[in-house]
């Protein structure tokens, strides 16, 4: 059974601080996605990474896929209260598994003004 | 383009009853996946349908079933409801099956009393 371990589970910081969320596995993933979810809503896709070592930036968010495609990180620079939410990483475990995503447990981020 | 829609948004049922949830994917998307989200287990994959065929199934009991229609709309059914089935049920659609980006609906909040 493939697992994605996400850390930390909870993060409470002040506006303007930087933070990093980690997503680790012992298994290789063909692609990895990061989502943000707000209460009562479905997850919203932020980014997809597919190549080992890939780095993608989305404004103040930087996503990295590990060289071996087993881990990923999300770094937020100068966090703002609007960044508050549940951040989820999700991996597609096998080319043949199609739409099946394996999710990490999530990181609850709270950014205080 | 309209997003993924799910109906109903909220449901309250009692133990032993059955329930049917509906999902309309983004126009043109042929893959529909279902996930169960609970505070303890996080997001867990239920099943995936592509072109009316179940292509993938998670580790859930047979009480959980689904189907997809020729217009790609999908339904999932849970029979003999248990208290532990209380959860947010999320539907996601994607254009392709592999290394694809999944777009989630707002979910159906099911409460079993």
């Amino acid at each position: 059974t493939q697992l994605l371990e996400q850390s930390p589970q909870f993060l409470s910081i002040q506006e303007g601080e930087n933070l990093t969320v980690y997503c680790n596995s012992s298994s290789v993933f063909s692609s990895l996605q990061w989502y943000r979810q707000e209460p009562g809503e479905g997850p919203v896709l932020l980014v997809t990474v597919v190549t080992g070592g890939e780095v993608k930036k989305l404004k103040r968010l930087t996503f990295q896929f590990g060289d071996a495609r087993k881990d990923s990180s999300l770094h937020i620079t100068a966090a703002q209260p609007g960044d508050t939410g549940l951040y989820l990483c999700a991996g597609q475990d096998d080319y043949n598994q199609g739409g099946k995503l394996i999710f990490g447990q999530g990181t609850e981020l709270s950014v205080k003004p | 383009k309209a997003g993924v829609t799910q109906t109903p948004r909220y449901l309250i049922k009692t133990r032993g009853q059955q329930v049917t949830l509906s999902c309309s994917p983004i126009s043109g998307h042929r893959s529909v996946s279902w996930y169960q989200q609970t505070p303890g287990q996080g997001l867990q994959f239920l099943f995936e349908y592509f072109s009316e065929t179940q292509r993938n199934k998670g580790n859930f009991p047979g009480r959980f079933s689904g189907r997809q229609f020729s217009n790609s709309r999908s339904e999932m059914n849970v029979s003999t409801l248990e208290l532990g089935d209380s959860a947010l049920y999320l539907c996601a659609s994607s254009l392709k099956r592999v290394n694809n980006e999944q777009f989630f609906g707002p979910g159906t909040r099911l409460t079993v009393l």
Side-chain angles (χ1 to χ4, degrees), chain A residues 30-31 33 35 37 40-43 45 48 50 86 88 92 95-101 103-105, chain B residues 9 31 33 35 37 39-43 45 48 56 88 90 97-106:
Chain A
S30 61
S31 69
Q33 301 173 11
Y35 292 86
Q37 184 178 22
E41 298 297 327
L45 179 67
T48 300
V50 297
L86 177 67
L88 295 155
Q92 190 158 46
Y95 189 89
N96 294 316
Q97 291 295 312
K100 177 180 178 180
L101 288 177
F103 279 85
Q105 285 293 89
Chain B
R9 289 294 308 275
S31 174
S33 299
Y35 295 83
Q37 186 175 28
Q41 300 296 319
L43 269 140
F45 174 79
E48 181 218 359
N56 222 330
L88 182 66
L90 293 159
R97 291 194 65 226
V98 181
N99 285 350
N100 65 92
E101 297 178 337
Q102 295 201 10
F103 297 88
F104 283 82

mmCIF file of all heavy atoms in Angstrom, chain A residues 30-31 33 35 37 40-43 45 48 50 86 88 92 95-101 103-105, chain B residues 9 31 33 35 37 39-43 45 48 56 88 90 97-106:
data_model
loop_
_atom_site.group_PDB
_atom_site.id
_atom_site.type_symbol
_atom_site.label_atom_id
_atom_site.label_comp_id
_atom_site.label_asym_id
_atom_site.label_seq_id
_atom_site.Cartn_x
_atom_site.Cartn_y
_atom_site.Cartn_z
ATOM 1 N N SER A 30 4.120 8.758 -10.465
ATOM 2 C CA SER A 30 4.248 9.245 -11.832
ATOM 3 C C SER A 30 3.963 10.743 -11.906
ATOM 4 O O SER A 30 4.460 11.431 -12.791
ATOM 5 C CB SER A 30 3.304 8.476 -12.757
ATOM 6 O OG SER A 30 1.963 8.662 -12.354
ATOM 7 N N SER A 31 3.168 11.241 -11.011
ATOM 8 C CA SER A 31 2.927 12.679 -10.918
ATOM 9 C C SER A 31 2.449 12.998 -9.511
ATOM 10 O O SER A 31 1.981 12.109 -8.786
ATOM 11 C CB SER A 31 1.880 13.141 -11.940
ATOM 12 O OG SER A 31 0.598 12.644 -11.605
ATOM 13 N N GLN A 33 0.313 16.108 -7.243
ATOM 14 C CA GLN A 33 -0.473 17.324 -7.308
ATOM 15 C C GLN A 33 -0.617 17.939 -5.925
ATOM 16 O O GLN A 33 -0.623 17.228 -4.924
ATOM 17 C CB GLN A 33 -1.855 17.006 -7.890
ATOM 18 C CG GLN A 33 -1.775 16.388 -9.283
ATOM 19 C CD GLN A 33 -3.113 15.919 -9.818
ATOM 20 O OE1 GLN A 33 -4.157 16.226 -9.256
ATOM 21 N NE2 GLN A 33 -3.089 15.173 -10.901
ATOM 22 N N TYR A 35 -3.146 20.520 -3.716
ATOM 23 C CA TYR A 35 -4.471 21.118 -3.667
ATOM 24 C C TYR A 35 -4.594 21.982 -2.421
ATOM 25 O O TYR A 35 -3.907 21.765 -1.424
ATOM 26 C CB TYR A 35 -5.553 20.030 -3.590
ATOM 27 C CG TYR A 35 -5.704 19.180 -4.820
ATOM 28 C CD1 TYR A 35 -4.906 18.061 -5.003
ATOM 29 C CD2 TYR A 35 -6.666 19.481 -5.777
ATOM 30 C CE1 TYR A 35 -5.060 17.266 -6.133
ATOM 31 C CE2 TYR A 35 -6.827 18.684 -6.903
ATOM 32 C CZ TYR A 35 -6.018 17.585 -7.063
ATOM 33 O OH TYR A 35 -6.171 16.795 -8.174
ATOM 34 N N GLN A 37 -7.822 23.332 0.076
ATOM 35 C CA GLN A 37 -9.234 23.129 0.341
ATOM 36 C C GLN A 37 -9.695 24.054 1.458
ATOM 37 O O GLN A 37 -9.037 24.166 2.486
ATOM 38 C CB GLN A 37 -9.501 21.668 0.737
ATOM 39 C CG GLN A 37 -10.971 21.331 0.938
ATOM 40 C CD GLN A 37 -11.177 19.866 1.290
ATOM 41 O OE1 GLN A 37 -10.270 19.202 1.771
ATOM 42 N NE2 GLN A 37 -12.373 19.347 1.042
ATOM 43 N N GLY A 40 -15.933 23.155 3.811
ATOM 44 C CA GLY A 40 -17.199 22.982 3.100
ATOM 45 C C GLY A 40 -17.072 22.960 1.594
ATOM 46 O O GLY A 40 -18.086 22.894 0.892
ATOM 47 N N GLU A 41 -15.855 22.987 1.082
ATOM 48 C CA GLU A 41 -15.647 22.997 -0.363
ATOM 49 C C GLU A 41 -14.745 21.844 -0.774
ATOM 50 O O GLU A 41 -14.082 21.227 0.057
ATOM 51 C CB GLU A 41 -15.021 24.321 -0.807
ATOM 52 C CG GLU A 41 -15.882 25.539 -0.522
ATOM 53 C CD GLU A 41 -17.194 25.511 -1.283
ATOM 54 O OE1 GLU A 41 -17.221 24.983 -2.418
ATOM 55 O OE2 GLU A 41 -18.216 26.008 -0.747
ATOM 56 N N GLY A 42 -14.712 21.578 -2.076
ATOM 57 C CA GLY A 42 -13.811 20.557 -2.576
ATOM 58 C C GLY A 42 -12.413 21.128 -2.763
ATOM 59 O O GLY A 42 -12.226 22.342 -2.820
ATOM 60 N N PRO A 43 -11.417 20.251 -2.843
ATOM 61 C CA PRO A 43 -10.043 20.713 -3.072
ATOM 62 C C PRO A 43 -9.914 21.411 -4.423
ATOM 63 O O PRO A 43 -10.542 21.009 -5.401
ATOM 64 C CB PRO A 43 -9.230 19.411 -3.058
ATOM 65 C CG PRO A 43 -10.096 18.413 -2.361
ATOM 66 C CD PRO A 43 -11.491 18.799 -2.687
ATOM 67 N N LEU A 45 -7.154 22.483 -7.300
ATOM 68 C CA LEU A 45 -5.816 22.156 -7.773
ATOM 69 C C LEU A 45 -4.941 23.410 -7.856
ATOM 70 O O LEU A 45 -5.337 24.427 -8.431
ATOM 71 C CB LEU A 45 -5.899 21.500 -9.149
ATOM 72 C CG LEU A 45 -4.584 21.109 -9.795
ATOM 73 C CD1 LEU A 45 -3.920 19.972 -9.014
ATOM 74 C CD2 LEU A 45 -4.791 20.698 -11.244
ATOM 75 N N THR A 48 0.534 20.698 -10.709
ATOM 76 C CA THR A 48 0.895 19.303 -10.973
ATOM 77 C C THR A 48 2.363 19.269 -11.357
ATOM 78 O O THR A 48 2.807 20.062 -12.191
ATOM 79 C CB THR A 48 0.060 18.723 -12.125
ATOM 80 O OG1 THR A 48 -1.318 18.775 -11.776
ATOM 81 C CG2 THR A 48 0.448 17.275 -12.396
ATOM 82 N N VAL A 50 5.450 16.573 -12.641
ATOM 83 C CA VAL A 50 5.578 15.229 -13.220
ATOM 84 C C VAL A 50 7.023 14.789 -13.421
ATOM 85 O O VAL A 50 7.297 13.599 -13.565
ATOM 86 C CB VAL A 50 4.842 15.123 -14.571
ATOM 87 C CG1 VAL A 50 3.355 15.351 -14.373
ATOM 88 C CG2 VAL A 50 5.392 16.094 -15.580
ATOM 89 N N LEU A 86 -6.562 24.191 4.079
ATOM 90 C CA LEU A 86 -5.999 22.846 4.170
ATOM 91 C C LEU A 86 -5.240 22.567 2.882
ATOM 92 O O LEU A 86 -5.812 22.628 1.788
ATOM 93 C CB LEU A 86 -7.124 21.824 4.364
ATOM 94 C CG LEU A 86 -6.702 20.350 4.406
ATOM 95 C CD1 LEU A 86 -5.875 20.059 5.653
ATOM 96 C CD2 LEU A 86 -7.937 19.440 4.363
ATOM 97 N N LEU A 88 -3.201 19.920 0.593
ATOM 98 C CA LEU A 88 -3.146 18.478 0.385
ATOM 99 C C LEU A 88 -2.210 18.145 -0.761
ATOM 100 O O LEU A 88 -2.264 18.775 -1.814
ATOM 101 C CB LEU A 88 -4.532 17.940 0.024
ATOM 102 C CG LEU A 88 -5.618 18.048 1.094
ATOM 103 C CD1 LEU A 88 -6.995 18.062 0.458
ATOM 104 C CD2 LEU A 88 -5.518 16.888 2.073
ATOM 105 N N GLN A 92 -0.220 10.250 -8.017
ATOM 106 C CA GLN A 92 -0.758 9.215 -8.900
ATOM 107 C C GLN A 92 0.293 8.122 -8.912
ATOM 108 O O GLN A 92 1.436 8.367 -9.310
ATOM 109 C CB GLN A 92 -1.007 9.765 -10.291
ATOM 110 C CG GLN A 92 -1.787 8.810 -11.172
ATOM 111 C CD GLN A 92 -2.468 9.523 -12.310
ATOM 112 O OE1 GLN A 92 -1.853 10.343 -12.973
ATOM 113 N NE2 GLN A 92 -3.732 9.214 -12.537
ATOM 114 N N TYR A 95 1.178 4.367 -13.681
ATOM 115 C CA TYR A 95 0.643 4.746 -14.985
ATOM 116 C C TYR A 95 -0.671 4.049 -15.272
ATOM 117 O O TYR A 95 -1.588 4.610 -15.853
ATOM 118 C CB TYR A 95 1.658 4.398 -16.075
ATOM 119 C CG TYR A 95 1.300 4.942 -17.423
ATOM 120 C CD1 TYR A 95 1.714 6.211 -17.811
ATOM 121 C CD2 TYR A 95 0.540 4.199 -18.314
ATOM 122 C CE1 TYR A 95 1.386 6.715 -19.046
ATOM 123 C CE2 TYR A 95 0.210 4.694 -19.564
ATOM 124 C CZ TYR A 95 0.640 5.961 -19.920
ATOM 125 O OH TYR A 95 0.303 6.470 -21.146
ATOM 126 N N ASN A 96 -0.764 2.800 -14.806
ATOM 127 C CA ASN A 96 -1.959 2.025 -15.123
ATOM 128 C C ASN A 96 -3.118 2.267 -14.163
ATOM 129 O O ASN A 96 -4.197 1.726 -14.344
ATOM 130 C CB ASN A 96 -1.621 0.528 -15.122
ATOM 131 C CG ASN A 96 -0.671 0.170 -16.246
ATOM 132 O OD1 ASN A 96 -0.853 0.622 -17.369
ATOM 133 N ND2 ASN A 96 0.348 -0.605 -15.942
ATOM 134 N N GLN A 97 -2.849 3.046 -13.100
ATOM 135 C CA GLN A 97 -3.908 3.256 -12.117
ATOM 136 C C GLN A 97 -4.826 4.409 -12.483
ATOM 137 O O GLN A 97 -5.762 4.728 -11.771
ATOM 138 C CB GLN A 97 -3.289 3.522 -10.728
ATOM 139 C CG GLN A 97 -2.606 2.313 -10.137
ATOM 140 C CD GLN A 97 -3.588 1.195 -9.832
ATOM 141 O OE1 GLN A 97 -4.617 1.402 -9.238
ATOM 142 N NE2 GLN A 97 -3.276 -0.003 -10.273
ATOM 143 N N GLY A 98 -4.531 5.051 -13.567
ATOM 144 C CA GLY A 98 -5.436 6.058 -14.074
ATOM 145 C C GLY A 98 -5.753 7.142 -13.087
ATOM 146 O O GLY A 98 -4.879 7.765 -12.533
ATOM 147 N N GLY A 99 -7.044 7.333 -12.849
ATOM 148 C CA GLY A 99 -7.477 8.469 -12.053
ATOM 149 C C GLY A 99 -7.291 8.346 -10.564
ATOM 150 O O GLY A 99 -7.593 9.267 -9.822
ATOM 151 N N LYS A 100 -6.762 7.241 -10.087
ATOM 152 C CA LYS A 100 -6.645 7.061 -8.647
ATOM 153 C C LYS A 100 -5.557 7.959 -8.078
ATOM 154 O O LYS A 100 -4.407 7.900 -8.505
ATOM 155 C CB LYS A 100 -6.321 5.603 -8.328
ATOM 156 C CG LYS A 100 -6.100 5.333 -6.860
ATOM 157 C CD LYS A 100 -5.772 3.856 -6.647
ATOM 158 C CE LYS A 100 -5.502 3.564 -5.184
ATOM 159 N NZ LYS A 100 -5.184 2.137 -4.970
ATOM 160 N N LEU A 101 -5.921 8.787 -7.124
ATOM 161 C CA LEU A 101 -4.964 9.626 -6.406
ATOM 162 C C LEU A 101 -4.838 9.146 -4.963
ATOM 163 O O LEU A 101 -5.827 8.805 -4.331
ATOM 164 C CB LEU A 101 -5.411 11.084 -6.408
ATOM 165 C CG LEU A 101 -5.319 11.866 -7.721
ATOM 166 C CD1 LEU A 101 -5.880 13.260 -7.541
ATOM 167 C CD2 LEU A 101 -3.880 11.930 -8.209
ATOM 168 N N PHE A 103 -3.813 10.483 -1.359
ATOM 169 C CA PHE A 103 -3.687 11.763 -0.689
ATOM 170 C C PHE A 103 -2.894 11.665 0.610
ATOM 171 O O PHE A 103 -2.972 10.672 1.344
ATOM 172 C CB PHE A 103 -5.061 12.343 -0.360
ATOM 173 C CG PHE A 103 -5.725 13.026 -1.514
ATOM 174 C CD1 PHE A 103 -6.460 12.299 -2.436
ATOM 175 C CD2 PHE A 103 -5.584 14.388 -1.695
ATOM 176 C CE1 PHE A 103 -7.067 12.925 -3.511
ATOM 177 C CE2 PHE A 103 -6.192 15.023 -2.765
ATOM 178 C CZ PHE A 103 -6.929 14.294 -3.674
ATOM 179 N N GLY A 104 -2.143 12.713 0.898
ATOM 180 C CA GLY A 104 -1.576 12.874 2.223
ATOM 181 C C GLY A 104 -2.669 13.328 3.182
ATOM 182 O O GLY A 104 -3.779 13.664 2.752
ATOM 183 N N GLN A 105 -2.363 13.327 4.466
ATOM 184 C CA GLN A 105 -3.366 13.674 5.471
ATOM 185 C C GLN A 105 -3.696 15.164 5.496
ATOM 186 O O GLN A 105 -4.699 15.565 6.077
ATOM 187 C CB GLN A 105 -2.896 13.256 6.867
ATOM 188 C CG GLN A 105 -2.991 11.750 7.111
ATOM 189 C CD GLN A 105 -4.427 11.270 7.145
ATOM 190 O OE1 GLN A 105 -5.017 10.913 6.119
ATOM 191 N NE2 GLN A 105 -5.024 11.259 8.317
ATOM 192 N N ARG B 9 -26.137 18.769 -1.927
ATOM 193 C CA ARG B 9 -24.973 19.239 -1.167
ATOM 194 C C ARG B 9 -24.974 18.680 0.257
ATOM 195 O O ARG B 9 -23.917 18.461 0.847
ATOM 196 C CB ARG B 9 -24.972 20.765 -1.099
ATOM 197 C CG ARG B 9 -24.656 21.464 -2.406
ATOM 198 C CD ARG B 9 -23.213 21.213 -2.873
ATOM 199 N NE ARG B 9 -22.220 21.508 -1.871
ATOM 200 C CZ ARG B 9 -21.699 22.715 -1.650
ATOM 201 N NH1 ARG B 9 -22.091 23.741 -2.362
ATOM 202 N NH2 ARG B 9 -20.770 22.874 -0.714
ATOM 203 N N SER B 31 -13.428 11.038 -17.407
ATOM 204 C CA SER B 31 -13.064 10.286 -16.201
ATOM 205 C C SER B 31 -13.691 10.933 -14.979
ATOM 206 O O SER B 31 -13.590 12.145 -14.781
ATOM 207 C CB SER B 31 -11.539 10.260 -16.055
ATOM 208 O OG SER B 31 -11.171 9.660 -14.829
ATOM 209 N N SER B 33 -13.946 10.323 -10.767
ATOM 210 C CA SER B 33 -13.494 9.582 -9.582
ATOM 211 C C SER B 33 -14.268 10.046 -8.367
ATOM 212 O O SER B 33 -14.676 11.207 -8.295
ATOM 213 C CB SER B 33 -11.992 9.808 -9.347
ATOM 214 O OG SER B 33 -11.234 9.357 -10.434
ATOM 215 N N TYR B 35 -14.288 10.147 -4.019
ATOM 216 C CA TYR B 35 -13.456 10.072 -2.820
ATOM 217 C C TYR B 35 -14.330 10.303 -1.586
ATOM 218 O O TYR B 35 -15.323 11.030 -1.634
ATOM 219 C CB TYR B 35 -12.355 11.134 -2.837
ATOM 220 C CG TYR B 35 -11.343 10.951 -3.938
ATOM 221 C CD1 TYR B 35 -11.584 11.420 -5.221
ATOM 222 C CD2 TYR B 35 -10.129 10.303 -3.688
ATOM 223 C CE1 TYR B 35 -10.662 11.255 -6.240
ATOM 224 C CE2 TYR B 35 -9.196 10.133 -4.698
ATOM 225 C CZ TYR B 35 -9.478 10.621 -5.960
ATOM 226 O OH TYR B 35 -8.548 10.447 -6.956
ATOM 227 N N GLN B 37 -14.053 11.762 2.293
ATOM 228 C CA GLN B 37 -13.181 12.536 3.168
ATOM 229 C C GLN B 37 -13.750 12.568 4.579
ATOM 230 O O GLN B 37 -14.891 12.996 4.802
ATOM 231 C CB GLN B 37 -13.012 13.976 2.664
ATOM 232 C CG GLN B 37 -11.993 14.783 3.467
ATOM 233 C CD GLN B 37 -11.755 16.162 2.874
ATOM 234 O OE1 GLN B 37 -12.609 16.743 2.227
ATOM 235 N NE2 GLN B 37 -10.547 16.685 3.076
ATOM 236 N N PRO B 39 -12.469 13.316 8.908
ATOM 237 C CA PRO B 39 -11.385 13.923 9.705
ATOM 238 C C PRO B 39 -10.304 12.905 10.088
ATOM 239 O O PRO B 39 -9.135 13.241 10.127
ATOM 240 C CB PRO B 39 -12.115 14.440 10.941
ATOM 241 C CG PRO B 39 -13.522 14.660 10.488
ATOM 242 C CD PRO B 39 -13.788 13.573 9.487
ATOM 243 N N GLY B 40 -10.692 11.679 10.333
ATOM 244 C CA GLY B 40 -9.720 10.691 10.793
ATOM 245 C C GLY B 40 -8.905 10.056 9.682
ATOM 246 O O GLY B 40 -7.713 9.820 9.831
ATOM 247 N N GLN B 41 -9.528 9.786 8.550
ATOM 248 C CA GLN B 41 -8.872 9.068 7.461
ATOM 249 C C GLN B 41 -8.449 9.959 6.307
ATOM 250 O O GLN B 41 -7.741 9.513 5.406
ATOM 251 C CB GLN B 41 -9.803 7.975 6.916
ATOM 252 C CG GLN B 41 -10.200 6.932 7.941
ATOM 253 C CD GLN B 41 -9.013 6.151 8.431
ATOM 254 O OE1 GLN B 41 -8.130 5.783 7.654
ATOM 255 N NE2 GLN B 41 -8.953 5.918 9.741
ATOM 256 N N GLY B 42 -8.883 11.199 6.303
ATOM 257 C CA GLY B 42 -8.543 12.075 5.197
ATOM 258 C C GLY B 42 -9.311 11.697 3.937
ATOM 259 O O GLY B 42 -10.405 11.154 4.006
ATOM 260 N N LEU B 43 -8.696 11.960 2.802
ATOM 261 C CA LEU B 43 -9.322 11.654 1.509
ATOM 262 C C LEU B 43 -8.938 10.252 1.064
ATOM 263 O O LEU B 43 -7.762 9.946 0.909
ATOM 264 C CB LEU B 43 -8.852 12.646 0.447
ATOM 265 C CG LEU B 43 -9.703 13.885 0.289
ATOM 266 C CD1 LEU B 43 -8.835 15.101 0.085
ATOM 267 C CD2 LEU B 43 -10.623 13.706 -0.894
ATOM 268 N N PHE B 45 -9.735 7.132 -1.806
ATOM 269 C CA PHE B 45 -10.264 6.836 -3.134
ATOM 270 C C PHE B 45 -11.320 5.746 -3.047
ATOM 271 O O PHE B 45 -11.102 4.702 -2.433
ATOM 272 C CB PHE B 45 -9.106 6.402 -4.032
ATOM 273 C CG PHE B 45 -9.504 5.923 -5.384
ATOM 274 C CD1 PHE B 45 -9.819 6.803 -6.395
ATOM 275 C CD2 PHE B 45 -9.549 4.561 -5.651
ATOM 276 C CE1 PHE B 45 -10.178 6.351 -7.658
ATOM 277 C CE2 PHE B 45 -9.906 4.092 -6.902
ATOM 278 C CZ PHE B 45 -10.213 4.989 -7.906
ATOM 279 N N GLU B 48 -13.171 4.827 -9.751
ATOM 280 C CA GLU B 48 -13.031 5.682 -10.922
ATOM 281 C C GLU B 48 -13.781 5.064 -12.081
ATOM 282 O O GLU B 48 -13.737 3.856 -12.292
ATOM 283 C CB GLU B 48 -11.572 5.854 -11.313
ATOM 284 C CG GLU B 48 -11.385 6.771 -12.536
ATOM 285 C CD GLU B 48 -10.280 6.314 -13.463
ATOM 286 O OE1 GLU B 48 -9.621 5.304 -13.186
ATOM 287 O OE2 GLU B 48 -10.084 6.979 -14.500
ATOM 288 N N ASN B 56 -11.095 1.414 -11.765
ATOM 289 C CA ASN B 56 -10.264 1.352 -10.577
ATOM 290 C C ASN B 56 -11.174 1.354 -9.358
ATOM 291 O O ASN B 56 -12.211 2.024 -9.365
ATOM 292 C CB ASN B 56 -9.360 2.586 -10.533
ATOM 293 C CG ASN B 56 -7.960 2.255 -10.111
ATOM 294 O OD1 ASN B 56 -7.743 1.321 -9.346
ATOM 295 N ND2 ASN B 56 -7.012 3.016 -10.616
ATOM 296 N N LEU B 88 -17.728 13.638 3.922
ATOM 297 C CA LEU B 88 -17.880 14.475 2.731
ATOM 298 C C LEU B 88 -17.492 13.605 1.543
ATOM 299 O O LEU B 88 -16.383 13.066 1.492
ATOM 300 C CB LEU B 88 -16.960 15.690 2.814
ATOM 301 C CG LEU B 88 -17.044 16.692 1.647
ATOM 302 C CD1 LEU B 88 -18.413 17.377 1.613
ATOM 303 C CD2 LEU B 88 -15.933 17.732 1.748
ATOM 304 N N LEU B 90 -16.670 13.398 -2.282
ATOM 305 C CA LEU B 90 -16.181 14.279 -3.331
ATOM 306 C C LEU B 90 -16.091 13.553 -4.652
ATOM 307 O O LEU B 90 -15.660 12.398 -4.717
ATOM 308 C CB LEU B 90 -14.803 14.822 -2.951
ATOM 309 C CG LEU B 90 -14.760 15.767 -1.753
ATOM 310 C CD1 LEU B 90 -13.359 15.815 -1.163
ATOM 311 C CD2 LEU B 90 -15.219 17.152 -2.158
ATOM 312 N N ARG B 97 -6.904 9.991 -18.253
ATOM 313 C CA ARG B 97 -6.788 9.110 -17.084
ATOM 314 C C ARG B 97 -5.440 9.197 -16.406
ATOM 315 O O ARG B 97 -5.320 8.986 -15.212
ATOM 316 C CB ARG B 97 -7.035 7.660 -17.476
ATOM 317 C CG ARG B 97 -8.468 7.378 -17.867
ATOM 318 C CD ARG B 97 -8.692 5.886 -17.891
ATOM 319 N NE ARG B 97 -8.553 5.321 -16.558
ATOM 320 C CZ ARG B 97 -7.859 4.222 -16.285
ATOM 321 N NH1 ARG B 97 -7.219 3.581 -17.238
ATOM 322 N NH2 ARG B 97 -7.779 3.754 -15.062
ATOM 323 N N VAL B 98 -4.392 9.517 -17.174
ATOM 324 C CA VAL B 98 -3.044 9.395 -16.635
ATOM 325 C C VAL B 98 -2.349 10.746 -16.588
ATOM 326 O O VAL B 98 -2.475 11.544 -17.503
ATOM 327 C CB VAL B 98 -2.221 8.427 -17.505
ATOM 328 C CG1 VAL B 98 -0.829 8.276 -16.939
ATOM 329 C CG2 VAL B 98 -2.908 7.087 -17.568
ATOM 330 N N ASN B 99 -1.600 10.974 -15.497
ATOM 331 C CA ASN B 99 -0.911 12.259 -15.302
ATOM 332 C C ASN B 99 -1.855 13.413 -15.598
ATOM 333 O O ASN B 99 -1.485 14.406 -16.204
ATOM 334 C CB ASN B 99 0.315 12.362 -16.192
ATOM 335 C CG ASN B 99 1.458 11.518 -15.665
ATOM 336 O OD1 ASN B 99 1.393 11.004 -14.541
ATOM 337 N ND2 ASN B 99 2.475 11.347 -16.468
ATOM 338 N N ASN B 100 -3.065 13.227 -15.146
ATOM 339 C CA ASN B 100 -4.092 14.203 -15.476
ATOM 340 C C ASN B 100 -4.368 15.081 -14.277
ATOM 341 O O ASN B 100 -4.053 14.746 -13.148
ATOM 342 C CB ASN B 100 -5.356 13.479 -15.882
ATOM 343 C CG ASN B 100 -5.923 12.692 -14.719
ATOM 344 O OD1 ASN B 100 -6.749 13.179 -13.971
ATOM 345 N ND2 ASN B 100 -5.459 11.468 -14.538
ATOM 346 N N GLU B 101 -4.972 16.198 -14.534
ATOM 347 C CA GLU B 101 -5.378 17.103 -13.476
ATOM 348 C C GLU B 101 -6.839 16.824 -13.149
ATOM 349 O O GLU B 101 -7.675 16.789 -14.038
ATOM 350 C CB GLU B 101 -5.193 18.550 -13.922
ATOM 351 C CG GLU B 101 -3.735 18.893 -14.195
ATOM 352 C CD GLU B 101 -3.549 20.307 -14.688
ATOM 353 O OE1 GLU B 101 -4.511 20.874 -15.227
ATOM 354 O OE2 GLU B 101 -2.447 20.844 -14.515
ATOM 355 N N GLN B 102 -7.082 16.619 -11.849
ATOM 356 C CA GLN B 102 -8.444 16.321 -11.430
ATOM 357 C C GLN B 102 -9.083 17.568 -10.845
ATOM 358 O O GLN B 102 -8.469 18.287 -10.052
ATOM 359 C CB GLN B 102 -8.450 15.193 -10.401
ATOM 360 C CG GLN B 102 -7.951 13.881 -10.979
ATOM 361 C CD GLN B 102 -8.385 12.672 -10.199
ATOM 362 O OE1 GLN B 102 -9.214 12.746 -9.303
ATOM 363 N NE2 GLN B 102 -7.829 11.515 -10.533
ATOM 364 N N PHE B 103 -10.316 17.795 -11.214
ATOM 365 C CA PHE B 103 -11.062 18.958 -10.762
ATOM 366 C C PHE B 103 -12.213 18.476 -9.890
ATOM 367 O O PHE B 103 -13.032 17.670 -10.329
ATOM 368 C CB PHE B 103 -11.564 19.763 -11.956
ATOM 369 C CG PHE B 103 -10.460 20.324 -12.791
ATOM 370 C CD1 PHE B 103 -9.899 19.580 -13.828
ATOM 371 C CD2 PHE B 103 -9.955 21.584 -12.539
ATOM 372 C CE1 PHE B 103 -8.859 20.085 -14.581
ATOM 373 C CE2 PHE B 103 -8.922 22.101 -13.293
ATOM 374 C CZ PHE B 103 -8.372 21.353 -14.316
ATOM 375 N N PHE B 104 -12.226 18.968 -8.670
ATOM 376 C CA PHE B 104 -13.188 18.484 -7.694
ATOM 377 C C PHE B 104 -14.449 19.336 -7.630
ATOM 378 O O PHE B 104 -14.417 20.551 -7.829
ATOM 379 C CB PHE B 104 -12.559 18.469 -6.289
ATOM 380 C CG PHE B 104 -11.619 17.321 -6.070
ATOM 381 C CD1 PHE B 104 -10.319 17.374 -6.518
ATOM 382 C CD2 PHE B 104 -12.049 16.179 -5.404
ATOM 383 C CE1 PHE B 104 -9.445 16.306 -6.322
ATOM 384 C CE2 PHE B 104 -11.190 15.111 -5.186
ATOM 385 C CZ PHE B 104 -9.886 15.175 -5.655
ATOM 386 N N GLY B 105 -15.540 18.654 -7.334
ATOM 387 C CA GLY B 105 -16.778 19.338 -7.024
ATOM 388 C C GLY B 105 -16.793 19.770 -5.567
ATOM 389 O O GLY B 105 -15.843 19.481 -4.825
ATOM 390 N N PRO B 106 -17.861 20.449 -5.140
ATOM 391 C CA PRO B 106 -17.928 20.939 -3.754
ATOM 392 C C PRO B 106 -18.233 19.848 -2.739
ATOM 393 O O PRO B 106 -18.070 20.067 -1.546
ATOM 394 C CB PRO B 106 -19.075 21.944 -3.808
ATOM 395 C CG PRO B 106 -19.937 21.454 -4.921
ATOM 396 C CD PRO B 106 -19.004 20.868 -5.939
#
